[in-house]
């Protein structure tokens, strides 16, 4: 049995771990640190799960350290730290991986790929990423797009091709866009709502297809209506707010168009 064990481990044993006690100690400290970080992460994830289970908002109105009400999530973390000494020590002494970290979003730039298929788009993204993270493929941990098949496809989509090079870059559907789709599909069951939003989208089309009507809009309203883009999550809200805010001016525009024979009979271009 001993000979079998020796044969199985032949050439696989790290000699340094046997001869150098300080090297073994470094390994032990590293493993302890990893184990502690996993424990702290588990506590934080459980706090997030708690908020999700009871439909509690994570963020507060003021998340500064000096705030008296920084939100349910941070309050729950602070409360857990009073009961968990390991978490308390971590929050007091950790120089990174802290709960009060801020998500930083930076504008990258406008890119103009030669084509708009998944292969060209994925290659364009990889070229840009290579300039910043080089060949360290494990640094990219997420990617998010809307539901267009060229971006989100499981077989030939951009997210699939990107993940082949960056295995940790898990794809997440854009939640803002996803929420818009859910709400739009739910609301479309009501016939009156379908008619309302169809009519609302017709405002932009009515004015944009005629330079004379656009001139009237510029004269009276002194601004343009939001461009119709039903796949954009904020399209409907912007249009509703604009029409509501400038409803009197829009009525004036319509009256002026009706009174002008040269404009009234202009056909709408489909």
């Amino acid at each position: 049995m001993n000979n079998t064990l020796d044969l199985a481990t032949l050439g696989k044993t790290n000699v340094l771990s046997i001869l150098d006690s300080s090297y073994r100690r470094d390994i032990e400290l590293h493993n302890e640190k990893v184990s502690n970080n996993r424990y702290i992460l588990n506590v934080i994830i459980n706090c997030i799960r708690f908020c999700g289970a009871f439909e509690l908002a994570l963020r507060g109105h003021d998340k500064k350290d000096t705030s008296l009400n920084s939100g349910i999530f941070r309050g729950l973390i602070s409360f857990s730290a009073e009961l968990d000494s390991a978490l308390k020590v971590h929050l007091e002494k950790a120089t990174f991986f802290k709960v009060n970290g801020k998500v930083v979003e930076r504008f990258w730039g406008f890119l103009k790929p030669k084509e708009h298929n998944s292969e060209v788009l994925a290659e364009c993204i990889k070229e840009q990423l290579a300039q910043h993270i080089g060949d360290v493929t494990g640094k990219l941990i997420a990617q998010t797009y809307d539901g267009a098949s060229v971006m989100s496809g499981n077989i030939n989509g951009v997210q699939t091709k990107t993940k082949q090079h960056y295995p940790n870059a898990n794809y997440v559907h854009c939640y803002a866009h996803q929420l818009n789709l859910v709400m739009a599909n739910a609301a479309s069951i009501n016939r009156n709502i379908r008619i309302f939003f169809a009519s609302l989208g017709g405002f932009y089309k009515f004015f944009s297809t005629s330079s004379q009507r656009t001139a009237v809009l510029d004269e009276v309203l002194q601004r343009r209506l939001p461009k119709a883009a039903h796949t954009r999550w904020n399209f409907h809200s912007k249009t509703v707010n604009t029409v509501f805010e400038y409803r009197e001016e829009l009525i004036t525009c319509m009256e002026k168009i009706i009174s002008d024979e040269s404009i009234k009979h202009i056909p709408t271009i489909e």
Side-chain angles (χ1 to χ4, degrees):
M1 185 179 294
N2 289 332
N3 289 338
T4 302
L5 290 174
D6 291 339
L7 179 62
T9 58
L10 181 63
K12 298 180 181 179
T13 304
N14 191 331
V15 178
L16 285 175
S17 64
I18 298 175
L19 300 179
D20 193 338
S21 59
S22 62
Y23 182 78
R24 292 200 306 271
R25 182 55 182 164
D26 289 340
I27 294 177
E28 292 174 359
L29 291 175
H30 173 76
N31 291 337
E32 289 177 5
K33 185 177 181 180
V34 170
S35 178
N36 182 68
N37 286 342
R38 287 177 176 173
Y39 174 77
I40 298 299
L41 182 61
N42 183 65
V43 173
I44 295 173
I45 291 175
N46 285 335
C47 290
I48 296 175
R49 292 176 60 193
F50 176 88
C51 294
F54 293 94
E55 299 182 358
L56 302 174
L58 294 178
R59 61 178 298 174
H61 294 293
D62 184 0
K63 296 180 291 229
K64 297 178 181 177
D65 293 333
T66 56
S67 173
L68 298 177
N69 183 11
S70 58
I72 295 174
F73 173 67
R74 291 195 62 181
L76 185 59
I77 291 291
S78 300
F79 177 73
S80 299
E82 295 298 324
L83 306 176
D84 191 325
S85 58
L87 178 61
K88 185 175 183 179
V89 171
H90 172 81
L91 295 178
E92 292 175 350
K93 297 183 178 181
T95 57
F96 58 94
F97 189 51
K98 297 175 70 68
V99 181
N100 61 353
K102 297 180 180 180
V103 176
V104 179
E105 181 177 353
R106 293 187 175 93
F107 173 71
W108 195 298
F110 288 110
L111 306 176
K112 189 176 181 181
K114 297 178 180 178
E115 297 182 38
H116 297 105
N117 56 58
S118 60
E119 186 173 350
V120 174
L121 292 175
E123 191 61 33
C124 182
I125 291 174
K126 285 190 288 186
E127 289 176 0
Q128 293 297 314
L129 291 174
Q131 299 176 16
H132 295 269
I133 62 178
D135 294 329
V136 187
T137 58
K139 283 191 174 183
L140 186 65
I141 61 172
Q143 50 179 326
T144 176
Y145 316 107
D146 60 19
S149 59
V150 68
M151 304 302 294
S152 63
N154 292 325
I155 300 177
N156 292 316
V158 171
Q159 64 99 358
T160 303
K161 294 183 181 298
T162 302
K163 194 169 184 180
Q164 291 173 354
H165 190 73
Y166 298 96
N168 295 330
N170 295 313
Y171 165 67
V172 180
H173 192 293
C174 173
Y175 279 102
H177 187 264
Q178 197 172 44
L179 176 62
N180 174 68
L181 297 177
V182 171
M183 296 301 295
N185 290 335
S188 64
I189 297 175
N190 188 301
R191 179 175 179 272
N192 292 331
I193 292 178
R194 290 202 307 270
I195 295 174
F196 171 77
F197 282 108
S199 302
L200 197 66
F203 276 97
Y204 171 81
K205 186 176 182 180
F206 176 77
F207 285 100
S208 63
T209 53
S210 167
S211 59
Q212 291 93 331
R213 293 172 189 159
T214 301
V216 174
L217 187 68
D218 292 340
E219 178 186 349
V220 178
L221 202 64
Q222 296 183 352
R223 63 167 296 163
R224 302 292 176 87
L225 297 176
K227 185 177 181 180
H230 298 279
T231 57
R232 299 290 179 88
W233 70 272
N234 63 340
F235 162 68
H236 292 306
S237 62
K238 287 177 63 177
T239 307
V240 170
N241 290 334
T242 302
V243 173
F244 177 78
E245 183 178 356
Y246 297 98
R247 62 189 184 280
E248 297 296 334
E249 289 83 353
L250 286 171
I251 292 174
T252 302
C253 286
M254 296 301 183
E255 292 175 344
K256 191 166 185 176
I257 291 173
I258 292 173
S259 63
D260 192 331
E261 293 294 332
S262 63
I263 302 177
K264 184 172 63 173
H265 299 294
I266 295 175
T268 299
I269 301 174
E270 296 292 341

